Amino acid sequence: MSDKIELGKAKRLKGEIIPPPDKSISHRAVILSSLANGKSRIKNFLMAEDTMSTLNAFKKLGVEIEEVRSQSPSATRRGGKSEVSPPTHPSPSRGEGKGGGELIIHSKGLHGLKEPEDIIDCGNSGTTIRLLSGILSGNPFLSILSGDDSLRKRPMGRVIKPLSLMGAGVFARDDDRYPPIAIKGKKLKAIRYEMPVASAQVKSAILLAGLYADGETEVIEPMKSRDHTERMMPSYGAELTVEGLGIKIKGGCELKACDMVVPGDFSSAAFFIIAALLVPDSEILIKNVGINPTRTGLLEVLKKAGTDIELINVRDVSGEQVADIHCRGTIGLRGMNITKEHIPALIDEFPILCIAATQANGITSIRGAEELRVKESDRIRAMVEGLRKMGVEVEEFNDGLNIKGPAKLKGAAIESFGDHRIAMAFSVAALLAHGKTTIKGISAVNISFPGFYNMLKMLTKN
Ligand code: S3P
């Protein structure tokens, strides 16, 4: 089956959607439930490629995980009957992601994991490989973690360094830089670690290793990154305190099973938020979206740029704030100035923010974002290349770019570089362009958002 899609200009987007469950929270729910003694139930777990990598890893480590049922991300026409149900859209070659499911996890606790018989394949998932490295550092057996071509190019020194300071036996290819990672778990000692980069994955790896360490481990971030790990850990019985940018965790206490519900993913919703703002005459209600402030920097930036996005029905779900997001087509978006302090809270929204910038009046500048060079693809390069093909004036810097708007987009052949967020961002750009746009490598969307094209098709139906 062909791994590309051709999309054209959309007249408007209308309807209600429920985005897929949050990817970061789904990873952490499987991880913590697999380490917490007893039976945990996770509702609305993301059944997509990345989170299945984590789920399969824990199965290989001997944890019993039941997949009770799965549903799909859904969309309905406003004022009409439900039209879209299970994603029938082909998931070309990337497997079987299905949206939200329910898991029951039976765990023997922190010390109940067993040595895997083979290499653990983390697929495309940086969260899986880095968080698992933290856990396996404290488990007395050999494990080897690897992944796909993209993951094997991503920097691992950032987790190997602090884990080695804790006493772990962790090694990687090219002088401890890149996967595969080989870990011989040991008795760990607590450390106080000031992180050089703001990274929730590194922070979480250290906190998870801290569960196995003697004494109290402290990690200090340079800027606040997503805080799902520290929000969730106490519900499983971990002794953890947060003070400003510092987090302390006590080693040696047993975790206990916990039930939780995963909210919808703001990062997936973001593609439709921007699509609704940019396609004239659109109106979309996006229901059940997590609005944790460490994730919603995009909303702050868009507000400053003059958009009118309404959060309604704000509520609490398993310790995370959730809302329905109402967005409408907006005219007169202003250029944006995004600097280093903004980046952690909108790190995954960079590709779609670049698409918004093409329609804003004036220059949008995004700087201090060099981390984007080491994501699933080099996202600065991928966006510069695709935007230029669509006729946008762009200036590239090592740590970001300038985009000149408003631009008249023209249809082009775009490469996703196997990166889910690049594929989805340019699919939204295609809705604004004159002529047809072909996006290659769309199976990547199954990493975080199976059913993305189904939802888009449904909302653009006139
Ligand atoms: C994630 C953290 C972020 C983010 C990634 C998911 C997580 O990465 O970009 O998509 O679940 O912890 P970094 O921690 O490397 O910034």
Side-chain angles (χ1 to χ4, degrees):
M1 195 176 297
S2 116
D3 189 19
K4 61 184 181 197
I5 196 165
E6 193 183 73
L7 296 168
K9 203 177 179 100
K11 275 202 202 124
R12 66 177 156 269
L13 301 181
K14 269 205 160 48
E16 281 183 10
I17 55 173
I18 302 173
D22 190 279
K23 179 160 83 69
S24 291
I25 298 176
S26 294
H27 279 298
R28 286 156 174 82
V30 181
I31 291 173
L32 292 172
S33 299
S34 295
L35 302 180
N37 213 342
K39 180 171 126 183
S40 297
R41 187 183 290 265
I42 306 166
K43 287 192 177 152
N44 200 35
F45 173 78
L46 175 66
M47 295 283 192
E49 285 184 14
D50 250 28
T51 42
M52 291 312 280
S53 291
T54 296
L55 188 151
N56 288 328
F58 280 99
K59 283 187 174 171
K60 281 196 168 174
L61 290 162
V63 179
E64 192 193 328
I65 304 180
E66 288 175 61
E67 293 163 42
V68 182
R69 71 193 157 86
S70 62
Q71 318 142 342
S72 21
S74 69
T76 53
R77 288 295 284 181
R78 253 211 157 157
K81 56 185 184 328
S82 175
E83 287 183 21
V84 168
S85 28
T88 45
H89 184 85
S91 308
S93 60
R94 285 275 192 166
E96 289 292 332
K98 287 189 204 76
E102 187 170 323
L103 303 180
I104 296 176
I105 301 186
H106 305 266
S107 163
K108 298 197 181 85
L110 220 46
H111 301 281
L113 303 179
K114 71 166 181 53
E115 185 173 69
E117 281 169 18
D118 201 350
I119 290 174
I120 293 179
D121 181 4
C122 302
N124 189 251
S125 174
T127 307
T128 308
I129 199 165
R130 293 193 177 117
L131 272 58
L132 269 178
S133 298
I135 294 163
L136 295 170
S137 290
N139 276 277
F141 49 70
L142 175 78
S143 18
I144 298 172
L145 307 174
S146 195
D148 70 7
D149 290 353
S150 152
L151 194 69
R152 281 184 281 107
K153 289 190 197 105
R154 297 185 66 187
M156 295 298 142
R158 54 181 64 193
V159 282
I160 293 178
K161 186 170 173 223
L163 294 173
S164 301
L165 290 172
M166 294 178 87
V170 197
F171 308 94
R173 187 172 63 81
D174 196 10
D175 208 11
D176 294 338
R177 284 194 181 87
Y178 303 110
I181 302 181
I183 303 171
K184 190 71 201 269
K186 299 221 176 99
K187 185 91 205 107
L188 301 179
K189 53 179 188 288
I191 54 166
R192 179 179 189 277
Y193 189 71
E194 292 191 22
M195 289 167 45
V197 278
S199 161
Q201 293 177 355
V202 176
K203 169 175 66 178
S204 303
I206 300 169
L207 292 175
L208 288 162
L211 290 170
Y212 291 91
D214 270 339
E216 190 173 68
T217 296
E218 184 177 5
V219 51
I220 300 118
E221 299 190 86
M223 284 181 288
K224 188 96 181 148
S225 65
R226 64 191 65 193
D227 64 359
H228 305 301
T229 304
E230 48 276 39
R231 273 176 192 265
M232 288 169 75
M233 274 184 150
S235 319
Y236 286 86
E239 286 185 46
L240 177 142
T241 49
V242 181
E243 239 184 82
L245 295 171
I247 307 149
K248 290 180 183 161
I249 184 153
K250 278 213 178 100
C253 55
E254 268 300 315
L255 300 188
K256 47 184 193 306
C258 170
D259 291 347
M260 67 162 306
V261 182
V262 180
D265 198 324
F266 180 82
S267 297
S268 296
F271 296 101
F272 290 105
I273 294 175
I274 301 288
L277 294 177
L278 301 186
V279 177
D281 199 24
S282 294
E283 188 174 2
I284 304 184
L285 183 66
I286 311 174
K287 294 174 107 172
N288 191 37
V289 189
I291 52 160
N292 179 320
T294 61
R295 295 287 298 281
T296 50
L298 178 76
L299 293 182
E300 306 303 316
V301 166
L302 288 175
K303 199 170 171 189
K304 260 195 162 168
T307 60
D308 173 24
I309 299 171
E310 209 187 341
L311 300 187
I312 46 185
N313 194 13
V314 178
R315 58 216 184 259
D316 192 272
V317 174
S318 296
E320 293 278 353
Q321 275 212 323
V322 170
D324 301 336
I325 304 182
H326 184 234
C327 0
R328 262 188 261 237
T330 304
I331 306 163
L333 197 64
R334 293 188 288 272
M336 296 161 269
N337 184 24
I338 291 139
T339 52
K340 198 171 180 69
E341 322 74 76
H342 295 112
I343 301 297
L346 52 70
I347 185 87
D348 290 342
E349 284 59 76
F350 167 79
I352 192 62
L353 182 58
C354 289
I355 305 302
T358 68
Q359 303 309 303
N361 289 308
I363 304 278
T364 290
S365 160
I366 307 178
R367 302 298 295 269
E370 56 274 13
E371 269 299 294
L372 291 160
R373 298 249 179 225
V374 291
K375 290 291 176 191
E376 287 85 327
S377 69
D378 175 344
R379 286 188 173 156
I380 297 176
R381 190 85 274 286
M383 289 311 296
V384 167
E385 191 180 307
L387 289 173
R388 283 190 179 144
K389 281 188 180 165
M390 295 188 84
V392 184
E393 249 184 74
V394 189
E395 195 180 353
E396 180 177 3
F397 305 101
N398 193 37
D399 66 342
L401 43 59
N402 282 351
I403 297 172
K404 192 173 173 199
K408 269 199 164 45
L409 301 185
K410 58 174 201 281
I414 301 291
E415 187 52 68
S416 76
F417 298 97
D419 185 328
H420 52 139
R421 301 200 201 280
I422 300 296
M424 292 187 275
F426 280 108
S427 298
V428 171
L431 308 177
L432 311 167
H434 295 278
K436 296 284 180 199
T437 298
T438 305
I439 296 123
K440 292 187 247 169
I442 57 161
S443 56
V445 306
N446 291 320
I447 285 170
S448 62
F449 200 157
F452 171 79
Y453 287 107
N454 218 24
M455 221 176 250
L456 191 59
K457 192 168 148 198
M458 150 65 213
L459 290 169
T460 50
K461 226 186 259 170
N462 292 301

